[in-house]
Amino acid sequence: MTDLKDAQDKKKRFFDFMRPMINDENARILLLRESLLAAKKNNYRKAFVKKTANDYGLQWDSGNENWDKLLEHVDAVALELALAQSANESAWGQSRFAQEGNNFFGQWCYKKGCGIVPDNRDHGTYHEVARFKNVNNSVRSYIKNINTGPAYELLRDVRRKNRTAGTKPDAYAQAGGLIKYSQRREEYVKEIRSMIRANKRLMLGE
């Protein structure tokens, strides 16, 4: 019983640590989204809109202004999804990469010296595990990755359908869009979904 209580306490402390940073970054992105919607409605701040589109990897020229696609990219990531991934990728904050590089989402970089070289890196590969100044920067980079990466188009599509239907973000459904996040593919999706199911109340601070 004590071991179970200790495990639950460890999880609670981890989620309580990560939740405010994820919520803050999501709130920042939702404010940006509101600014874009206002610009669309009033047909103004065109330079701001173009810069934002470019920041999110979208071409934005006269005659090539895809508002639906832009708004699909600029949106929050479901809290439970981000918490499950951070717990999984960082071994509940205990991994070498979390401890030494503030990397809580297993993000890679590809420039020599950009991060930490993994001990088990395959011969002939050159990736490093990104190093961040603080955990907040790791959260920001992760959400930007989900919002821009071609690999996560399915996740963004699920999120758009949630929003169109007027329902709350469905972390369980969005997890299906993580098939390319890990080399473990389907097993990774199952693992993230299992973590969401098992820890939902703790994740939401209930």
Side-chain angles (χ1 to χ4, degrees):
M1 187 68 182
T2 303
D3 287 347
L4 179 62
K5 188 174 185 303
D6 286 348
Q8 289 295 96
D9 184 58
K10 173 184 163 186
K11 288 180 178 182
K12 181 181 185 302
R13 281 187 280 113
F14 179 84
F15 292 140
D16 287 350
F17 171 70
M18 292 299 296
R19 190 187 304 111
M21 288 180 278
I22 294 166
N23 282 339
D24 284 351
E25 183 58 19
N26 272 333
R28 190 187 71 81
I29 290 167
L30 290 174
L31 276 175
L32 175 60
R33 182 186 174 87
E34 288 301 314
S35 296
L36 289 170
L37 286 167
K40 180 186 179 189
K41 180 180 179 181
N42 297 299
N43 194 28
Y44 70 170
R45 298 188 70 190
K46 293 186 178 182
F48 154 72
V49 174
K50 182 173 182 176
K51 181 181 184 307
T52 303
N54 292 340
D55 285 347
Y56 278 76
L58 301 174
Q59 287 293 318
W60 197 266
D61 303 304
S62 183
N64 188 31
E65 299 174 350
N66 190 335
W67 276 101
D68 288 344
K69 184 61 69 176
L70 177 57
L71 292 168
E72 190 177 300
H73 281 256
V74 184
D75 207 345
V77 172
L79 173 64
E80 305 98 295
L81 185 77
L83 286 172
Q85 284 199 269
S86 62
N88 184 287
E89 295 287 346
S90 74
W92 299 94
Q94 300 306 304
S95 74
R96 172 191 170 202
F97 306 119
Q99 295 283 318
E100 295 179 17
N102 291 312
N103 189 330
F104 277 65
F105 295 92
Q107 297 167 94
W108 290 4
C109 56
Y110 296 91
K111 188 176 178 182
K112 187 173 176 61
C114 64
I116 302 165
V117 177
D119 293 333
N120 58 349
R121 186 170 69 177
D122 291 339
H123 180 70
T125 60
Y126 301 97
H127 69 275
E128 299 182 13
V129 178
R131 189 190 297 272
F132 295 96
K133 183 179 178 183
N134 51 51
V135 182
N136 298 71
N137 286 359
S138 175
V139 171
R140 178 166 292 192
S141 178
Y142 156 75
I143 293 180
K144 187 71 177 287
N145 184 30
I146 293 294
N147 279 340
T148 59
Y152 313 117
E153 191 171 345
L154 175 60
L155 186 155
R156 295 191 295 269
D157 187 53
V158 170
R159 181 173 66 182
R160 176 183 57 77
K161 287 174 180 172
N162 280 165
R163 186 176 275 282
T164 301
T167 56
K168 287 177 66 177
D170 186 339
Y172 191 87
Q174 286 184 26
L178 295 173
I179 195 83
K180 295 180 181 177
Y181 197 95
S182 166
Q183 294 170 329
R184 290 182 286 139
R185 298 180 69 84
E186 288 87 355
E187 285 304 311
Y188 182 76
V189 170
K190 284 182 187 174
E191 209 168 278
I192 296 300
R193 283 177 161 170
S194 176
M195 292 180 80
I196 292 169
R197 270 199 311 270
N199 299 290
K200 193 171 181 74
R201 293 190 67 179
L202 278 176
M203 288 173 165
L204 298 176
E206 295 176 356

